[in-house]
Amino acid sequence: MTTAHSATFRIGAVDLNGQLRGKRLPSAHLGKLKNGGARLPFSALNLDVWGCDIDDSPLVFESGDQDGVLLPASRGSVPMPWLATPSDLVLMQLFHDDGTAFMGDPTQALSAVLDRFAARGWSVVAATEMEFTLVDDSGDHLCPPLHPRDGRRLAASDVLSITELDAFDAFFTDVYDGAAAMGIPLQTMTAESGIGQFEVTLNHQNAMKAADDALLIKHLLRATARNHGFAATFMAKPYADDAGNGMHVHFSVVDKEGNNVFDDGTDEGSGLLKSAVAGCLSAMRASSLIFAPNGSSYDRFAPGAHAPTTICWGYENRTAAIRIPGGAQASRRIEHRVAGGDVNPYLILAAILGAAIEGIESALMPPPPTVGNAYDQDLPQLAATWAEAIDLFEGDEVITRCLPAELITNLVMTKRQEMLKLAEVAPEAQWQTYLERV
């Protein structure tokens, strides 16, 4: 644990919606964290998207709203460069008093999946690509931001434009500087196909750190955008008639000698790669709630809109839900392209990697790879609605083998409560719920 850079610091554990829940503490308390000197109610990791308790949750009144023990995650402390007063953030994990993990904690769910790979002498290397949209939220509805150079509102997309990147240079420079200070391996930043939409890519690394960095880069981008007079959102569909925000996950698996087990010296990849693909396909429909966790998430799934809607895989095929990129055989990997930008990074990695190891352990084989436009083919579909996704997730056998039972129960209760509450919000105002919470 490093020394705090100010009189106080923050500790935060990740709830089911990917929001940090925790406390502000004096710097003198930093050394006490590793000995269990901080506690948090278990129910704090099972709040709805507005931060409210879940009705009838056994974690609240039924159990007396008990505390768990917070312990620092392996990441340690990171600076919070968006704040005017220097301060640190320590990511935490929640445990029971007897030392066992609280399995309603998304980080613990991912740890449990990674342990299954470790039992085989393997480790997972992962990377994320996340789209986000810069917006002006000062009025009653979302608008594109003002162009920093001419003061006029952005009116069109400018795909892969260097000029658009340069227009927001002050913002992106602060993001890169902040990421470097936080130890986040930020790679490319590109202009995407939506108005004011960009994509940030992070480097391949240990899967748990990849999840940490995906969480932290969201905080960094949102806070830095506010410092520059606009907002950054990872909402799956900020505008009904424009591109949605996705999050792609790339992963490979390496053995004790550092060899990629997906590589067999061919362009097709190994049998282990195909089994991992088959596992991901088998769990995909029931995992729709993980990939599209919010009411607005389902607006993104439209044929031809660069968001996969069919359950299939292919080589170098961006219309497929799972793509096997080309390139060097030694770097053979899986790209999972389904999720929206509004996901919980720990849950998506736990679900994808849990399905992959299920496929490997069961020696599953996928159907033939899809060739051509997957949108035009008669293929299995993801859940069409939020309600359907919740029901599928709750009762699926593969999901129960990939994720802890406690987390499944808590997430289902959370999303059913959110669905009821959101129905009371006027459709034109629902963006206010999600803008900076997802």
Side-chain angles (χ1 to χ4, degrees), residues 407-421:
L407 187 146
I408 295 169
T409 298
N410 292 349
L411 186 61
V412 166
M413 293 180 69
T414 300
K415 294 303 167 181
R416 286 195 171 133
Q417 175 164 306
E418 290 177 4
M419 188 166 58
L420 289 172
K421 290 174 68 172

Side-chain angles (χ1 to χ4, degrees), residues 278-326:
C280 288
L281 293 175
S282 71
M284 190 171 289
R285 180 169 163 78
S287 300
S288 296
L289 185 63
I290 299 292
F291 308 140
N294 303 301
S296 61
S297 303
Y298 294 83
D299 297 335
R300 174 174 164 266
F301 292 128
H306 301 288
T309 57
T310 55
I311 298 172
C312 63
W313 73 294
Y315 292 95
E316 280 291 13
N317 189 340
R318 284 188 168 87
T319 68
I322 293 177
R323 169 178 172 255
I324 310 302

Side-chain angles (χ1 to χ4, degrees), residues 124-138:
V124 180
V125 177
T128 58
E129 302 170 344
M130 289 180 285
E131 293 167 334
F132 63 96
T133 304
L134 299 182
V135 298
D136 176 356
D137 66 329
S138 60

Side-chain angles (χ1 to χ4, degrees), residues 60-370:
V60 189
F61 297 120
E62 183 179 319
S63 63
D65 207 4
Q66 295 176 358
D67 279 348
V69 180
L70 285 172
L71 293 174
S74 58
R75 180 58 171 259
S77 63
V78 295
M80 303 170 73
W82 56 85
L83 294 176
T85 302
S87 190
D88 285 353
L89 168 68
V90 182
L91 296 179
M92 309 291 283
Q93 292 182 297
L94 196 54
F95 294 82
H96 294 278
D97 281 324
D98 63 5
T100 58
F102 170 54
M103 298 312 294
D105 180 340
T107 69
Q108 303 283 19
L110 178 55
S111 291
V113 171
L114 295 177
D115 286 345
R116 295 176 65 178
F117 287 89
R120 288 176 165 252
W122 295 345
S123 59
V124 180
V125 177
T128 58
E129 302 170 344
M130 289 180 285
E131 293 167 334
F132 63 96
T133 304
L134 299 182
V135 298
D136 176 356
D137 66 329
S138 60
D140 293 334
H141 60 278
L142 292 180
C143 296
L146 301 179
H147 194 289
R149 287 179 174 168
D150 59 29
R152 291 189 291 270
R153 202 169 296 282
L154 297 183
S157 63
D158 202 357
V159 180
L160 295 175
S161 169
I162 297 298
T163 300
E164 184 132 314
L165 287 172
D166 289 348
F168 289 91
D169 178 68
F171 165 67
F172 286 123
T173 296
D174 283 352
V175 170
Y176 271 90
D177 289 346
M182 298 173 77
I184 300 173
L186 197 162
Q187 296 297 300
T188 60
M189 194 76 72
T190 56
E192 276 290 336
S193 58
I195 300 175
Q197 184 187 48
F198 298 90
E199 181 184 73
V200 56
T201 64
L202 303 181
N203 201 18
H204 291 259
Q205 58 188 322
N206 168 277
M208 182 60 78
K209 188 173 185 294
D212 289 344
D213 286 342
L215 176 85
L216 293 171
I217 199 71
K218 283 187 170 188
H219 281 268
L220 175 62
L221 280 161
R222 287 190 293 243
T224 305
R226 284 300 185 192
N227 289 343
H228 284 263
F230 40 80
T233 184
F234 291 84
M235 288 172 59
K237 194 74 167 175
Y239 305 118
D241 56 354
D242 200 15
N245 291 319
M247 174 177 173
H248 298 167
V249 173
H250 295 249
F251 73 95
S252 57
V253 180
V254 297
D255 62 22
K256 291 180 179 178
E257 287 73 43
N259 300 309
N260 181 358
V261 306
F262 290 165
D263 170 35
D264 66 351
T266 70
D267 290 338
E268 289 189 356
S270 68
L272 290 171
L273 178 144
K274 294 172 185 174
S275 290
V277 167
C280 288
L281 293 175
S282 71
M284 190 171 289
R285 180 169 163 78
S287 300
S288 296
L289 185 63
I290 299 292
F291 308 140
N294 303 301
S296 61
S297 303
Y298 294 83
D299 297 335
R300 174 174 164 266
F301 292 128
H306 301 288
T309 57
T310 55
I311 298 172
C312 63
W313 73 294
Y315 292 95
E316 280 291 13
N317 189 340
R318 284 188 168 87
T319 68
I322 293 177
R323 169 178 172 255
I324 310 302
Q329 294 168 351
S331 300
R332 191 63 64 233
R333 67 189 187 276
I334 292 171
E335 179 188 8
H336 202 291
R337 298 175 52 81
V338 178
D342 56 344
V343 298
N344 180 325
Y346 300 93
L347 288 187
I348 187 177
L349 277 165
I352 291 172
L353 298 178
I357 195 66
E358 278 289 320
I360 289 171
E361 290 177 350
S362 300
L364 299 181
M365 282 290 112
T370 296

